[in-house]
Amino acid sequence: MSAPLLGLKVLDLSSGPAGGLSTMILADFGAEVRRIIDDEYDELNNMPSARMWLRGKSTTKDRDIADTDVILVSLPNSHNLHYETCAALNPTVVYCELTAMGDARWPMYEGVVAAKVGRMKQMDAILVDKGPCFSAVQVATHATAMNVVSGILAALHKRRGTGCGNKVSTSLLQGLMPYDMGMSMHLQIREQRPDWTRSSRSQKRRMPTLFYQPVQCADGKWLQLGNLLDHLFENFMRIIGLEDQLTLLPEATEEVRNRILETMQTKTCEEWMDIFVRDGSVAAHPYLRPEESLADPDMTMNGHITKMSEVTQLGPLAKLTKTPAEITLESKQGTGWKVTAGEQTHDAPLSDITVIEIATIIATPLGASFLRDMGARVIKVEAIGGDPLRELHYEAALRCNQGKESIGINLKTQEGQAVVHQLIRKADIIMHNFRPGVPTRLGIDYEKLTEFNPSLIYLSANGYGAAGPGAKRPSTHPIPGAAMGGAGYQAGNVPERLLNIDELRHTSQRLFLANEVNPDPNTAVVVCASVLMGLTARDQTGKGQQIFIDMFGANAYANFDAMVDFKGKPPRPSLNDDLKGPHPLYRLYRAKNSWVFLGMKRNSEWEAFCQLTDKETSWQELTENPFREHDDKLTNALSDFFAERTAEEWEHFFAQTVVACVHADKQYLSEFFQDQCNDKSSWMTRVPHPDIETYYRHRAMVSFDSADAEMGGPPSAGEHTKNLMHELGYGEERIAEYFSMGVLWQEDIS
């Protein structure tokens, strides 16, 4: 067994975590990564987690483009190495360009992009009437790093067939697209159909937040509940002795909430978790700090943690069973993947790939949609009644299913399993999110499927991973949000003194709002990158394999900045109770009419700021280190300074300079994308919609110079059942029989 990228030669001209994480992953899976240091931007590699993302790389001054397979650049930089120059020297090179928002105007700082496009305003519910909140978990950086990996691997797949290189482009803004989980779509539908409501279409009930209630235990520690589906919540209520309270819902929701909060304070966190793990039917996990997550048994037993040179850090992105990662500190040696230059085609990179998705809710289906956006054919197999997400969150379901074909099949029948087996015979990839044991019962376990399709790439994605105490337990997005430290960090703190009922309600609400939906998209981008690593391995070896990923590992990567530990490592910068930012130069400030975000990470930017504001001496007299966490003197002085003008005036004042200062509460993220709904937009495109004539959806998160895939709209549940059955060779009579038997199903949208 050898790593799938062994021999690949990568030249890394990026600076900072997005590029650094992506080339770390390429190095982990066998690539030789040579890094050219950019003296002007190398300060971005000084954060503690750089000890992790710089692993497996060597430094060089030799650009050596002629025999390089992949070049990664982040803009702005001082390298001035453009695609046209590289392609002229090496027409087979895959050149990936990474930006903040599509050009070199803005620095590669997540805070600047998050503030500019409304993600920080999206956090304003955490602190009512106190303005936007700093978005603490660097989800755009995480998603963009995965997009770089996915885009490069997809381009390499196409190069293998055509002999042609490609320019791949992505950005932090595109990395934020998955975190607009259907809301821009909802705004469009509401605008076109004022009489239309979610409940009038598919959602038969509203999801009570009791399912996702944070609770404090007798020792002051907190647990996050994640019992999204009715049967999980009923199991939880039974186990804690409140089953009789179910009859009071939904009318007495707040009274039941109080009973839950009070009951959970009767046992310690460890006692409750022992009960929940033994039962196996409750989704719950303690709120942890990242340092604690590094020792969590579901992390260690699933291979998510490694230790090298006294640094405890994240392990491989995914477990590839036949071509595993080989993590080293030193760079590997590559000879390059020899390719004969050929004619460029206009096919999307994955246009020859078929994916069978047998998954529900968000993470895995959303990951499959990203493969569709790069040209793959994705067939979604839905159970009778459809994916539960269609009922729980209509717009999110549309978001996850764009461009797919849908077939409704009862996999609990032999006939249904036989149909799926026929689909899989012709497929390249299957992906599911079942807990261990369920695939065997449904006839879609790896051993069964590879009997007739040995080259199959088989991805299993679940909550906790295949090993460890959580392997067979249910999980939903708030669980990894709490377990990996992101939710507690976003909330500012997790108090451990015992609280009274009013304090419990207030604190649990803050934790709930801080534990937003990001763990699902965080996992989805890892689903996409991991399955493409498997495809690359098959391209190299001709063999398929089983791949394991889980929400814990994926969300550990999303919290990369804190997922390292070594002697003397400084703690993750705290946000304090105001949640405005980690230090004075990377922080939200109230302007005359609203809020601005000041985003500086380099000394040269601070020096420019001092000169531009004509206060060089007075600013520098306030502090020896402007990047020091919670420097009250400098923070107070800057607060007074920004209060003098409006947010629009400050953004205009600093425009065309190296200082990034942006209006931070102009609109929500969904409103930003809604404003992009026009036929000239770089970020949105028009597609058909099952309820209205058309709507605008996000474009792909990765763009290719040769050809992008055609964007598609979402199918209704089972919409393509008959067409796919015909494609498999079934006649009308047998199809009708299977519908009458309950083997096949299709949503009635009349």
Side-chain angles (χ1 to χ4, degrees), residues 10 40 181 185 286 391 433 670 673 681 732:
V10 178
E40 187 174 338
M181 188 48 67
M185 186 184 305
E391 181 179 311
N433 60 354
S670 56
F673 284 115
S681 173
E732 285 289 349

Side-chain angles (χ1 to χ4, degrees), residues 43-44 46 109 570-571 573-574 581-587 589 598-610 619 622-632 634-635 638:
E43 288 173 79
L44 304 181
N46 290 337
Y109 299 166
S574 64
H583 64 73
L585 302 191
Y586 206 71
R587 193 183 192 282
Y589 288 97
L598 178 66
M600 294 189 285
K601 291 189 174 184
R602 299 183 297 134
N603 281 303
S604 58
E605 293 163 345
W606 167 241
E607 292 166 2
F609 176 84
C610 293
W619 287 131
L622 286 172
T623 180
E624 294 180 0
N625 177 15
F627 300 97
R628 186 172 62 233
E629 182 181 343
H630 304 305
D631 184 326
D632 291 339
L634 182 56
T635 299
L638 287 169

Side-chain angles (χ1 to χ4, degrees), residues 76-105:
N77 64 37
S78 59
H79 294 301
N80 297 314
L81 184 63
H82 303 290
Y83 172 63
E84 293 74 18
T85 302
C86 297
L89 293 170
N90 180 359
T92 69
V93 74
V94 172
Y95 176 101
C96 185
E97 183 177 273
L98 184 56
T99 62
M101 289 185 274
D103 56 41
R105 174 186 174 192

Side-chain angles (χ1 to χ4, degrees), residues 175 276 290 337 354 472 556:
F276 295 152
W337 288 359
T354 298
K472 294 186 178 181

Side-chain angles (χ1 to χ4, degrees), residues 296-306 315-319 436 462-472 548-553:
D296 186 285
D298 283 302
M299 291 286 286
T300 57
M301 295 175 71
N302 281 291
H304 295 317
I305 305 300
T306 188
L317 183 72
K319 180 182 178 182
N462 67 3
Y464 288 89
K472 294 186 178 181
F548 293 97
I549 71 132
D550 56 74
M551 294 186 77
F552 268 38

Side-chain angles (χ1 to χ4, degrees), residues 715-731:
S716 59
E719 178 179 336
H720 303 91
T721 300
K722 292 181 180 180
N723 289 344
L724 287 166
M725 292 296 287
H726 285 308
E727 187 177 317
L728 293 174
Y730 287 85

